[in-house]
Amino acid sequence: MATSIPNVSNDFTLLYNPSWGYNRCSTKAYFKSPNPTNFQHGFYGIENSTIRGSFHLCYPVNSPLYTNKIELIFEGKQSISWKENNNIINDEKIIYKQSKIIWKSKNNNYEELSTLDLLFEFHLPDNLPSTITSLNVKSYGEKIAGGVAGNGTEVGHITYGLRAEIFRPINIFKLQLNQKKIVDIWCRIQRWQSLESLNTFDRPFRWVDSNDDIRYDVELEKTMFNYKDTINIPMKFFINDLDKVKIKKICVRIKEYHELKINDKSKKIGGFVVTDTAFGEQAKKLKTNNDDDYYFFKMRLNLTKTNLGRKLNCSVNNEMINIRHKLKIKIYLENSNLPSIDLEKEITILNFATEQDTSEQHRLSNTWFYHNESKTEETLVETNVACHGRTKNRNKYVTSQKKRFTLFGVKFSGRNTRNTD
């Protein structure tokens, strides 16, 4: 059953949802951001960009978290593997890692925490590649989404993640046998490009051909697209005799090709990511200025709706993975001995910064998450706690309204949030 997404309000606890990219999750300790599935801020590749948000603790006062340190790690990994002649060829490396301690107790003693917002920010260096999703990704039922690419063993991806490591005492009564409680979430990185930075001039492209029975004119408005675009493909068919030939079906698809590279070895695979289909009876019969009849189709490929279950990656060349795209058109004919008509054209899909993207960044930067002026106080309470047969003095944090946090130079306060257990 699909997880329903609640309405978003000013209470960001409603945005907690383990299915949104969590690997190891907890309803008592989780990440928050104005955009719950994205921690990246700024147009990376065009301007300075950061990973930022908050790590939220929401423990009951009568069952608090015991910890002496909370460390946050932002890490990127690149992984390539495939099977060749019964040999596994693989390579994995960490392409970036940065860590910081976002909370630490006094004198390294364990303390009790209940409700707390811990703000974080990581500055991105200039040279990180974007997140890349493998073509061979298993979906529900262990089937590869969109069908097998290659022989199914080929995997090539770049992933980033945020990992919180909470250091705590071992407690055999609660089956806490690991000294670290770990919460980690995927963190997608996108690189942006400005149109001004490209030194290419994009032109429309047309396929025009004919024989005794059919003539077609298929137009592609451009060959370079934003990954949020809809590709419009108008098609005209001039048919002399419908008893001899008809349009039965038209399939328009985008195929994504990955070249995986490890040292002097490489492997090329491809898989379809977006598709659209039309049938002959959907054609509109129109007339030209010369009063000639023709049959018209307008095919559309919405790049934001990868309807085959695969994620669309942008076209890119980097050290271990090259990605390119082709638009493929197949026109099936009826009542004819002619073969189907196959058309294809290499296209480029990039991530352009548009006015809509700029407005969305501005909207997020002005949410209460960054500008709320309410106050929060951490009240320190001395308490005696028995642990492993011994009694130790520990500090207990209880959150109430009074002390002000600051996020990147902007005043901010954590909010009391409900326990979702």
Side-chain angles (χ1 to χ4, degrees):
M1 182 181 294
T3 306
S4 60
I5 299 176
N7 292 328
V8 176
S9 70
N10 280 347
D11 185 359
F12 272 77
T13 351
L14 296 179
L15 298 180
Y16 170 74
N17 187 327
S19 68
W20 285 341
Y22 277 88
N23 184 22
R24 285 164 287 191
C25 63
S26 168
T27 56
K28 299 174 185 177
Y30 51 90
F31 293 93
K32 294 199 302 182
S33 172
N35 183 338
T37 60
N38 186 14
F39 296 88
Q40 180 180 331
H41 295 262
F43 297 104
Y44 185 49
I46 300 176
E47 61 183 11
N48 293 332
S49 186
T50 59
I51 298 298
R52 66 190 189 193
S54 74
F55 185 64
H56 185 67
L57 301 179
C58 188
Y59 282 77
V61 176
N62 60 355
S63 183
L65 168 70
Y66 294 96
T67 182
N68 62 354
K69 183 173 67 173
I70 301 176
E71 185 175 6
L72 198 63
I73 297 101
F74 171 65
E75 186 175 78
K77 292 181 180 179
Q78 187 166 241
S79 180
I80 305 290
S81 68
W82 70 84
K83 191 174 182 180
E84 190 174 282
N85 299 327
N86 294 323
N87 295 321
I88 301 296
I89 299 171
N90 65 338
D91 188 18
E92 181 175 293
K93 64 180 179 180
I94 295 175
I95 56 177
Y96 186 73
K97 187 174 183 178
Q98 187 179 353
S99 64
K100 59 177 60 179
I101 296 172
I102 56 175
W103 187 88
K104 190 174 183 180
S105 67
K106 297 177 181 179
N107 301 322
N108 207 34
N109 293 327
Y110 289 110
E111 299 176 3
E112 297 181 10
L113 298 179
S114 57
T115 303
L116 192 62
D117 264 310
L118 301 169
L119 311 176
F120 62 84
E121 180 179 30
F122 293 99
H123 291 274
L124 295 176
D126 295 334
N127 58 345
L128 292 181
S130 296
T131 297
I132 291 178
T133 304
S134 178
L135 284 176
N136 287 318
V137 176
K138 290 184 180 180
S139 59
Y140 296 107
E142 293 299 301
K143 292 183 179 180
I144 294 177
V148 175
N151 60 28
T153 66
E154 298 89 349
V155 174
H157 55 75
I158 296 175
T159 59
Y160 296 89
L162 286 165
R163 183 172 75 253
E165 296 185 352
I166 303 171
F167 293 79
R168 62 186 183 182
I170 293 175
N171 188 330
I172 58 174
F173 301 105
K174 291 185 176 181
L175 299 179
Q176 294 177 358
L177 304 181
N178 194 329
Q179 198 172 5
K180 290 182 185 178
K181 176 183 176 70
I182 295 177
V183 177
D184 53 0
I185 187 171
W186 303 118
C187 180
R188 187 173 179 83
I189 298 296
Q190 288 181 299
R191 291 192 71 91
W192 302 76
Q193 287 182 289
S194 62
L195 286 171
E196 296 78 12
S197 66
L198 298 173
N199 296 320
T200 58
F201 181 71
D202 196 16
R203 296 179 179 178
F205 185 85
R206 294 175 70 187
W207 294 271
V208 180
D209 201 357
S210 64
N211 56 42
D212 293 337
D213 297 321
I214 187 171
R215 176 166 61 95
Y216 61 83
D217 186 343
V218 179
E219 184 177 355
L220 188 60
E221 57 186 343
K222 54 186 178 180
T223 59
M224 183 180 295
F225 299 92
N226 188 347
Y227 88 109
K228 293 181 180 179
D229 278 346
T230 295
I231 301 178
N232 296 304
I233 311 168
M235 301 181 177
K236 296 178 183 178
F237 296 93
F238 299 84
I239 300 175
N240 297 325
D241 189 348
L242 290 178
D243 291 331
K244 290 185 177 180
V245 63
K246 289 182 181 179
I247 303 297
K248 182 179 181 180
K249 185 173 70 170
I250 301 174
C251 291
V252 179
R253 298 181 288 181
I254 291 179
K255 192 169 186 178
E256 184 171 296
Y257 296 88
H258 288 201
E259 182 182 7
L260 312 178
K261 298 176 290 184
I262 300 177
N263 300 323
D264 59 341
K265 296 182 180 294
S266 66
K267 186 68 180 289
K268 295 179 181 180
I269 59 172
F272 293 104
V273 288
V274 192
T275 185
D276 187 27
T277 302
F279 295 91
E281 55 267 25
Q282 296 175 253
K284 293 181 180 180
K285 189 174 182 180
L286 304 174
K287 287 183 179 292
T288 66
N289 294 334
N290 298 326
D291 210 32
D292 293 328
D293 292 333
Y294 69 91
Y295 297 89
F296 179 78
F297 295 84
K298 189 169 185 178
M299 308 297 291
R300 292 181 175 88
L301 289 174
N302 187 338
L303 299 184
T304 65
K305 296 180 179 179
T306 48
N307 47 16
L308 293 176
R310 284 193 171 105
K311 296 290 185 182
L312 176 69
N313 296 289
C314 289
S315 308
V316 69
N317 291 331
N318 66 35
E319 180 187 359
M320 296 176 71
I321 306 174
N322 291 345
I323 298 177
R324 60 187 183 92
H325 298 88
K326 271 189 181 179
L327 177 70
K328 289 178 169 282
I329 301 172
K330 195 174 189 71
I331 303 162
Y332 297 88
L333 303 176
E334 192 175 3
N335 301 339
S336 173
N337 294 324
L338 296 173
S340 60
I341 300 171
D342 294 297
L343 309 173
E344 66 176 41
K345 176 64 178 174
E346 187 146 346
I347 62 174
T348 302
I349 300 174
L350 300 174
N351 186 18
F352 298 128
T354 64
E355 291 184 6
Q356 182 180 354
D357 296 319
T358 304
S359 299
E360 178 66 10
Q361 286 277 358
H362 179 74
R363 183 190 69 80
L364 289 175
S365 66
N366 283 281
T367 60
W368 73 267
F369 189 81
Y370 297 113
H371 296 284
N372 188 274
E373 292 292 332
S374 63
K375 303 174 182 179
T376 300
E377 181 183 60
E378 296 168 345
T379 305
L380 193 64
V381 180
E382 293 292 330
T383 179
N384 289 328
V385 181
C387 180
H388 304 304
R390 292 180 294 175
T391 302
K392 294 184 178 180
N393 266 337
R394 294 201 178 129
N395 297 323
K396 182 176 181 180
Y397 277 92
V398 181
T399 305
S400 61
Q401 302 281 347
K402 247 186 174 186
K403 182 179 168 184
R404 216 176 258 186
F405 289 120
T406 300
L407 178 59
F408 327 128
V410 179
K411 292 175 181 175
F412 165 82
S413 94
R415 283 179 73 151
N416 287 330
T417 53
R418 62 184 176 84
N419 181 13
T420 55
D421 276 349

